[in-house]
């Protein structure tokens, strides 16, 4: 009787065996927290480094007085500097040293004084980092006249052709002592990309020819084939365009496949995997190490299984090869090389399935490497955003359809796990973060993202105060935390900014 673990290929083994298709940079500069200053936090900032109402009102009064003037009043500039210093001292002496807020900007934010107001609010709440969304829903936060990418600009009204909202946001944030990152979708390229006739081969598809547009309802998500050269080139140009604005770093989101609806949320057959676009299929075939291996991979992709007859026929066609081989498959022991096709079939079938899953995940990892290489090459921070639960197995051989291989992310990247679990308390949130910390290589920068609102719970989600206190108690070694999002904390203001109602 054969022992399955002995012959079948596990994902843990073949991740490292699959040759990268995209060159991946090996090094990066890592962002470290400021060294704590030997200064006590100002008495008027609270435990979370939030400014009192009086200080907020004074700053807002000075800001309002500058809206209709050519320049900012000296008093307003001075209070911005004072608040920046107070925030820096407070964050240096309170956990965490880095606290970030995620935000999406809108064309209406070009109104005089609007960016000042937004970033003043961010400082008032104790944040010293802000993550500005620069690529989402198939649009980019670049001036239309300086947009060489495959996507349209967020700013598309006449007269806005040369307006650089991202550059303005960076300058406005730094004026207040904030670090400003760009936050980007990654494999989710958006509907505008899918609508291009010249990019159809770049869209990820399953064996039925379905894309994420067919598998996900409620949101327009278009995921690309990470092995497609055109998609790689398009994204590389996008990243380089964002780097020209010199942010403090770039964060990469949607480093995964989509989560389908219903039964499509689990993949358990090779037909379910989004690896049937031309580039991904060809790359999988190229993982064969001999003719037998290539032929069996091809048949497995076409029908979803290989039978005894397939193995027998392949053995007859290539009699000089002892066994089918592909990247990650361990050669049989000498005494096992004479197995009958009936005995060999279950192990070959299982090995081909695991090879296909690992191939899908290897594409994600390679694409992330391509995206982050230019960021790290110029010495900026690059971060990977992920769901801790998006790499789970389901049943005997099923996987969460997102196939997010975050345990394999490079430790040269910042890790940003989205700790969004709900359990009518904080235990499940803390557990998610602790699982990531237990998995991450030593010295990896881990900065969890918490979802919620200050001062109140939202349905089953505790207030940010409760989440922060629980996380500090359980994981005081964490240097940084982020909060999703500005729109959650200021929903009325976000709606007004989005639709220009005021």
């Amino acid at each position: 009787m054969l022992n399955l673990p002995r012959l079948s290929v596990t994902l843990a083994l073949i991740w490292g065996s699959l040759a990268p298709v995209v060159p991946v940079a090996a090094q990066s500069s890592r962002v470290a927290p400021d060294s704590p200053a030997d200064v006590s936090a100002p008495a008027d900032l609270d435990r979370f480094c939030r400014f009192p109402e009086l200080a907020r009102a004074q700053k807002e009064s000075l800001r309002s007085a500058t809206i209709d003037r050519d320049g900012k009043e000296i008093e307003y500039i001075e209070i911005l500097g004072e608040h920046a210093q107070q925030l820096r001292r407070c964050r240096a002496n309170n956990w965490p040293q880095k606290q970030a807020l995620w935000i999406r900007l809108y064309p209406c934010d070009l109104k005089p004084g609007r960016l000042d107001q937004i970033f003043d609010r961010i400082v008032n709440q104790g944040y010293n980092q802000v993550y500005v969304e620069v690529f989402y829903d198939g649009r980019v936060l670049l001036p239309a006249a300086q947009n060489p990418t495959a996507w349209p600009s967020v700013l598309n009204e006449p007269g806005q052709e040369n307006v650089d909202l991202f550059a303005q946001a960076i300058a406005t944030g730094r004026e207040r002592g904030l670090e400003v990152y760009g936050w980007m979708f990654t494999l989710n390229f958006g509907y505008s990309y899918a609508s291009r006739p010249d990019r159809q081969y770049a869209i990820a598809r399953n064996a039925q020819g379905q894309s994420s547009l067919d598998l996900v309802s409620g949101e327009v998500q278009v995921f690309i084939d990470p092995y497609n050269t055109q998609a790689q080139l398009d994204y590389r140009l996008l990243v380089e365009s964002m780097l020209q604005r010199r942010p403090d770093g770039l964060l990469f989101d949607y480093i995964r496949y989509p989560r389908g609806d219903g039964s499509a949320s689990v993949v358990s057959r090779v037909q379910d995997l989004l690896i049937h676009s031309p580039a991904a299929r060809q790359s999988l075939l190229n993982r064969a190490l001999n003719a037998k291996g290539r032929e069996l991979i091809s048949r497995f992709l076409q029908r979803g299984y290989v039978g005894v007859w397939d193995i027998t026929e392949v053995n007859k066609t290539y009699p000089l090869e002892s066994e089918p081989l592909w990247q990650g498959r361990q050669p049989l022991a000498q005494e096992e090389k004479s197995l009958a096709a009936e005995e060999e079939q279950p192990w070959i079938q299982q090995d081909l399935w695991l090879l296909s899953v690992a191939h899908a995940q290897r594409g994600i990892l390679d694409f992330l490497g391509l995206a982050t290489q230019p960021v790290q090459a110029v010495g900026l921070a690059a971060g990977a955003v992920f769901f801790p639960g998006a790499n789970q197995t389901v049943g005997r051989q099923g996987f969460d359809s997102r196939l997010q291989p975050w345990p394999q992310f490079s430790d040269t990247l910042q890790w940003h796990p989205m700790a969004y679990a709900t359990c009518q308390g904080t235990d499940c949130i803390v557990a998610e973060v602790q699982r990531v910390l237990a998995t991450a290589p030593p010295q990896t920068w881990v900065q969890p993202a918490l979802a919620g609102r200050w001062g109140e719970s939202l349905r089953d989600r505790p207030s940010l105060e409760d989440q922060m206190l629980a996380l500090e108690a359980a994981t005081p070694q964490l240097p940084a935390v982020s909060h999703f999002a500005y729109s959650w904390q200021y929903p009325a203001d976000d709606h007004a900014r989005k639709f220009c109602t005021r």
Side-chain angles (χ1 to χ4, degrees), residues 36-323:
D38 187 20
V39 181
S40 299
D44 56 350
L45 271 64
D46 69 10
R47 163 66 183 79
F48 300 101
C49 295
R50 296 176 296 191
F51 284 78
E53 286 300 326
L54 181 61
R56 299 180 187 211
Q58 181 185 13
K59 183 164 56 178
E60 174 59 16
S61 176
L62 292 171
R63 183 198 68 83
S64 298
T66 69
I67 291 178
D68 297 325
R69 304 187 183 183
D70 292 335
K72 296 177 182 177
E73 294 291 331
I74 187 65
E75 293 85 358
Y76 182 51
I77 296 174
E78 288 177 348
I79 200 171
L80 294 181
E82 291 170 5
H83 283 194
Q85 286 188 345
Q86 291 180 27
L87 179 59
R88 179 181 59 80
R89 292 169 182 165
C90 185
R91 287 262 70 97
N93 287 279
N94 287 277
W95 182 93
Q97 280 73 55
K98 303 288 186 183
Q99 183 170 278
L101 185 65
W102 306 73
I103 188 172
R104 176 178 292 184
L105 298 178
Y106 304 104
C108 296
D109 293 329
L110 293 173
K111 291 182 178 180
R114 182 59 59 85
L115 283 182
D116 289 321
Q117 183 183 46
I118 292 169
F119 282 86
D120 282 351
R121 283 176 171 169
I122 291 172
V123 169
N124 289 343
Q125 290 289 70
Y127 297 104
N128 57 355
Q129 290 183 325
V130 61
Y131 302 151
V132 177
E133 200 166 17
V134 294
F135 173 50
Y136 60 91
D137 296 344
R139 295 178 295 163
V140 294
L141 199 64
L142 291 171
Q146 303 170 41
N147 179 10
T149 76
W151 297 271
S153 298
V154 172
L155 303 178
N156 55 16
E157 296 295 326
Q160 297 178 340
E161 294 83 2
N162 291 294
V163 177
D164 197 330
L165 186 53
F166 186 31
Q168 290 184 23
I170 293 171
T172 304
R174 287 178 178 162
E175 187 178 24
R176 290 154 178 78
L178 294 167
E179 294 179 2
V180 184
Y181 282 55
W183 159 35
M184 308 173 62
F185 283 16
T186 307
L187 294 184
N188 182 359
F189 273 26
Y191 185 77
S192 65
Y193 195 85
S195 65
R196 296 182 53 145
D198 60 343
R199 295 298 193 272
Q200 295 307 301
Y201 282 109
I203 307 303
R205 300 186 187 277
N206 62 20
Q208 290 74 44
Q210 295 173 310
S211 71
S212 51
L213 287 172
D214 305 301
L215 302 172
V216 181
S217 63
E219 294 184 58
V220 180
Q221 299 183 2
V222 178
F223 284 74
I224 51 89
D225 173 6
Y227 288 98
N228 183 272
T229 302
Q230 185 63 61
Q232 295 169 4
L233 292 173
D234 287 339
Y235 199 77
R236 176 74 176 229
L237 181 59
L238 171 61
V239 171
E240 291 173 347
S241 297
M242 292 304 170
L243 289 176
Q244 290 175 9
R245 276 73 197 167
R246 298 298 297 176
D248 291 290
L250 290 178
L251 301 185
F252 297 91
D253 202 350
Y254 284 93
I255 313 165
R256 57 179 177 84
Y257 295 105
R259 181 166 192 169
D261 297 329
S263 61
S265 66
V266 177
V267 292
S268 57
R269 309 174 305 157
V270 70
Q271 296 97 318
D272 301 327
L273 297 174
L274 295 178
I275 59 170
H276 294 269
S277 302
R281 287 177 64 92
Q282 187 61 49
S283 295
L284 181 53
L285 289 171
N286 291 344
R287 296 197 186 280
L289 300 178
N290 60 11
K292 279 187 177 181
R294 187 180 184 89
E295 181 61 27
L296 288 177
I297 292 172
S298 177
R299 296 186 184 205
F300 186 68
L301 276 173
Q302 289 173 5
R303 298 202 309 267
Y305 67 92
V306 292
V308 173
W309 183 85
D310 294 300
I311 297 171
T312 300
E313 185 178 46
V314 167
N315 285 338
K316 289 180 179 179
T317 304
Y318 304 101
L320 299 181
E321 295 181 359
S322 61
E323 60 183 298

Side-chain angles (χ1 to χ4, degrees), residues 81 92 191 251 253 284 332 343 349 351 428 435 460 466 468 488 493:
Y191 185 77
L251 301 185
D253 202 350
L284 181 53
L332 296 174
E343 297 176 285
Q349 174 87 8
D351 286 357
C428 56
R435 185 161 71 89
D460 294 334
D466 289 344
M468 293 286 286
W488 284 39
D493 180 65

Side-chain angles (χ1 to χ4, degrees), residues 481-501:
V481 173
S482 68
H483 295 159
F484 188 89
Y486 183 94
S487 60
W488 284 39
Q489 295 191 26
Y490 302 100
D493 180 65
D494 189 78
H495 184 274
R497 292 169 43 238
K498 183 176 182 179
F499 297 103
C500 290
T501 57

